[in-house]
Every structure is written in C-alpha cells, then in structure tokens.
C-alpha cells in the first residue's frame, strides 16, 4: 500500500533505519485482527543491496568521460530500482525504498508513481550530521584496508557495510538535495536523528495507513488529468469522428464554390441544427489547418468530455474560437 522513501547522506544509517521500519511494520500488521483491511498488507524492502547494485556505480572517477558526463551507470541503477518499486507497489503492499534518493526530481517521480496507483507515500529523512556520516565512511575505509592486509587480498564484508571511495562520498554529499516538507512530493516528512533509538514508526503508520479505529488504508485520489474516463456509449468515438468530419466536409464544399475568398459564414446544420454556423477568418483556411483543428478537438474530447448530442455544437464553437484568435 504505502511507499516509504528513505533519504539521507551516504553512510548515514539509512539501511539500519529501513530494517527497523520493516521489523515494526511486519510486527504491527501481524498483530492486526483478520477483519482489519490492513491485516493482509505485505512488506517489501528494496535497496541497492537487495538488487545487487554495487556502490561503484556512483563513483564517477572510475568512469569514462562519456559516462561521467551522462552519469550513465547511475541512471541505469535508478531505472533498475524504479522497475523494482513499480513491480510491487500496489494497494496491498508496503514498499520501503532504502537508498540515498538524493535528487528531488527522482523523489517526485516516485511520488507520481505512488499517486498513480492510489497509494499514500512519505519521506523519512535520516538526519545524520555530515561529520558523523564522513566518520562512518572513513572508519569503513580503514577497516577494509586492514581486512585486505590480513587476508592478503580484497577485504570481504556485506555489501551494505562497504564504504564509498572518499571522492565519491564527497561528490554524493555535494549533490544531495535535502527534502522539503513544503513540497508535496516530500510530504509527509519524518526526520530521524543519529541519536534516536527508533524512527517515528507510530507516526508513520498513522500517516500512511491510519489508526486501527479508522479501518486503515487511507485513500489517495490521483490527479484528474491522469484519470481515464470511460465513454458513456460504445459508439462515442465513432460519433465524434463522424460528426466532426461531416462539418469539415461542408466547409470544404463551401470553399470550392468560393475559391480564394476569405471570410464568410458556412451553415453546417443537418436540418435539426440549422443555426450552427462556422464563421471563417479573413484569410482562406486550407485543408491541413482544418484537419489539425479537428484532431485537436478529438484529442481533447476523446474521453467523453462532451455529450454525443452536443458534439456538433461544441466543434462549431471550437472552430469559431480558433478562427477568432488566428
């Protein structure tokens, strides 16, 4: 159901907080009565580690000039993460996305995806100070070097415990765009400090799922512009195409009898609508311009924005408005 986006500096403890949230949510869901709408929710934890994305993809120093200028490897990694999120995000699943998520445009893309499937989202900002995060990364670099020396080769540790190269770490911090609670794609925003024992799990649950007394599963309305409206009748598109083409044919017939003439009024009524008149502009209008206006009108109204009985009247008004501003 909800999408929880973690964000913060590299090596700030995001993975630890993500696992805490995962444990809490699984425990909370399992404790709900079977009659609760939220009792069937599934929890997914998605991160670079679960998708086997190495931290080297963020290191621009190891890339060619072309890759460095386009951040090709990082874009590929985000595409992999986005596909994984989209695959499981639904009204029956809770998705925890563990990662830097440092680009606000990327967080906006995830926000749009959650809204498209009518599920809430939130952003959890792991607010570790930059000095502390740098200290953690430096400690991991030192530990990796010591471990490699003991083993006579590359040090081995879990992927989430691997350090970033110093230059890569500084670059990621420099590019980091902190979340803003005033932006809709970053709201609601929860902040977890380094000293906090746990994230605000209860507040996150209430914001995304809702108190048990409310029945859970908060509803999210998608943007009206992205909602497809089903036609009220099966032949709506046929009528839309037929009626607009009939009006264009009458205009073209009038133009054949008035070659080179500008202006004029063309009656396009079919008997029942005798008062429908198209007022042509002073400059002659050719077939390409008329077809373009027709395509625009059909595109604007193909989702049944106009009742079938008013298609002809609406198209005439659309033409007159277009000619009047030409």
């Amino acid at each position: 159901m909800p999408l929880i986006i973690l964000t913060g500096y590299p090596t700030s403890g995001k993975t630890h907080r993500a696992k805490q949230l995962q444990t809490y949510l699984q425990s909370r869901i399992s404790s709900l009565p079977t009659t609760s709408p939220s009792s069937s929710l599934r929890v997914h934890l998605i991160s670079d580690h679960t998708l086997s994305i190495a931290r080297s993809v963020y290191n621009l120093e190891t890339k060619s000039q072309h890759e460095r200028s386009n951040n090709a490897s990082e874009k590929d990694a985000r595409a992999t993460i986005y596909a994984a999120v989209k695959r499981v995000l639904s009204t029956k699943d809770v998705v925890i996305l563990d990662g830097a998520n440092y680009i606000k445009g990327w967080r906006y893309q995830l926000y749009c995806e959650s809204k498209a499937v009518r599920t809430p989202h939130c952003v959890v900002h792991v607010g570790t100070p930059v000095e502390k995060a740098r200290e953690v990364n430096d400690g991991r670099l030192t530990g990796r070097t010591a471990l490699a020396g003991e083993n006579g080769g590359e040090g081995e540790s879990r992927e989430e415990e691997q350090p970033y190269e110093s230059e890569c770490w500084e670059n990621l911090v420099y590019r980091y765009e902190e979340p803003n609670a005033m932006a809709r794609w970053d709201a609601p925003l929860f902040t977890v400090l380094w000293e906090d024992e746990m994230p605000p799990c209860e507040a996150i649950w209430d914001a995304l799922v809702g108190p048990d007394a409310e029945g859970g599963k908060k509803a999210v309305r998608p943007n009206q512009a992205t909602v497809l409206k089903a036609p009220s009748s099966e032949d709506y598109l046929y009528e839309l195409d037929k009626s607009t083409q009939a009006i264009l044919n009458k205009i073209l017939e009038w133009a054949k009898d008035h070659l080179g003439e500008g202006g004029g009024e063309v009656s396009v009524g079919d008997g029942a609508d005798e008062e429908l008149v198209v007022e042509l502009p002073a400059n002659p209008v050719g077939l390409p311009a008329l077809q373009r206006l027709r395509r625009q009108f059909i595109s604007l109204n193909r989702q049944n924005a106009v009742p079938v009985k008013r298609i002809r009247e609406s198209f005439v008004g659309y033409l007159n408005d277009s000619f009047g501003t030409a």
Side-chain angles (χ1 to χ4, degrees):
M1 184 183 175
L3 172 63
I4 303 175
I5 304 172
L6 278 85
T7 182
Y9 292 133
T11 63
S12 60
K14 296 183 296 297
T15 298
H16 173 62
R17 299 304 187 182
K19 290 181 178 178
Q20 286 181 317
L21 279 169
Q22 182 186 28
T23 301
Y24 169 82
L25 290 172
Q26 290 174 336
S27 175
R28 180 66 180 268
I29 293 171
S30 63
S31 66
L32 295 174
T34 55
T35 55
S36 172
S38 303
S39 61
S40 60
L41 290 176
R42 299 176 294 247
V43 181
H44 305 270
L45 175 58
I46 297 176
S47 67
D48 290 351
H49 325 307
T50 62
L51 298 175
S52 300
I53 298 175
R55 291 187 170 179
S56 58
V57 301
Y58 302 103
N59 189 1
L60 301 182
E61 299 299 322
T62 62
K63 304 297 185 297
S64 65
Q65 184 176 359
H66 173 73
E67 287 182 308
R68 190 181 304 117
S69 62
N70 292 281
N71 285 357
S73 62
E74 191 173 334
K75 289 180 180 178
D76 291 341
R78 281 201 296 271
T80 301
I81 295 171
Y82 182 73
V85 171
K86 189 173 182 179
R87 190 177 304 116
V88 297
L89 187 61
S90 72
T91 56
K92 298 180 180 179
D93 298 270
V94 179
V95 180
I96 303 172
L97 180 56
D98 168 27
N101 300 316
Y102 65 91
I103 303 173
K104 62 183 179 182
W106 166 242
R107 296 196 296 268
Y108 176 73
Q109 183 179 1
L110 293 169
Y111 157 78
C112 291
E113 183 60 34
S114 67
K115 195 166 186 180
V117 297
R118 305 191 181 197
T119 186
H121 97 299
C122 76
V123 175
V124 178
H125 180 209
V126 181
T128 302
V130 64
E131 296 82 6
K132 183 63 179 180
R134 183 185 289 110
E135 178 186 331
V136 172
N137 192 66
D138 290 344
R140 292 181 179 178
L141 284 171
T142 303
R144 185 183 66 178
T145 302
L147 185 59
E150 293 176 2
N151 297 340
E154 186 67 25
E156 296 183 0
S157 61
R158 292 185 299 177
E159 180 62 32
E160 59 264 33
E161 297 176 353
Q162 288 286 340
Y164 294 88
E165 298 300 330
S166 297
E167 297 81 2
C168 176
W169 191 93
E170 296 291 345
N171 182 268
L172 288 173
V173 171
Y174 176 77
R175 291 188 287 157
Y176 183 72
E177 297 174 334
E178 288 195 3
N180 179 5
M182 301 297 293
R184 61 185 183 278
W185 56 87
D186 286 335
L189 176 64
F190 301 93
T191 300
V192 189
L193 302 180
W194 176 266
E195 300 80 9
D196 293 343
E197 182 178 350
M198 288 285 293
C201 299
E202 288 287 342
I204 293 174
W205 175 272
D206 290 344
L208 298 183
V209 181
D212 297 338
E214 297 179 6
K217 293 197 174 183
K218 290 191 172 182
V220 174
R221 289 186 178 181
N223 293 326
Q224 289 297 322
T226 63
V227 178
L228 296 179
K229 301 176 183 177
S232 59
S233 61
E234 296 181 358
D235 60 348
Y236 174 76
L237 294 179
Y238 169 76
E239 291 293 340
L240 184 64
D241 180 80
K242 175 184 174 182
S243 299
T244 53
Q245 186 60 54
I247 291 175
L248 250 61
N249 290 340
K250 291 193 175 185
I251 295 176
L252 293 174
E253 289 176 5
W254 184 92
K256 288 181 181 179
D257 298 332
H258 302 79
L259 292 176
E261 294 184 15
E265 297 182 349
V266 183
S267 176
V268 295
D270 61 354
D273 303 312
E274 291 296 338
E275 297 183 359
L276 290 180
V277 176
V278 175
E279 299 177 359
L280 298 177
N283 296 323
V285 182
L287 177 60
L290 291 174
Q291 290 285 24
R292 176 173 52 81
L293 291 172
R294 176 173 173 266
R295 287 194 299 269
Q296 290 175 352
F297 179 81
I298 291 177
S299 177
L300 290 171
N301 295 278
R302 67 184 305 113
Q303 299 303 329
N304 199 24
V306 179
V308 174
K309 294 182 180 180
R310 296 191 61 248
I311 290 177
R312 297 172 64 86
E313 177 186 349
S314 298
F315 185 47
V316 169
Y318 182 79
L319 290 176
N320 288 334
D321 290 342
S322 300
F323 294 150
T325 57

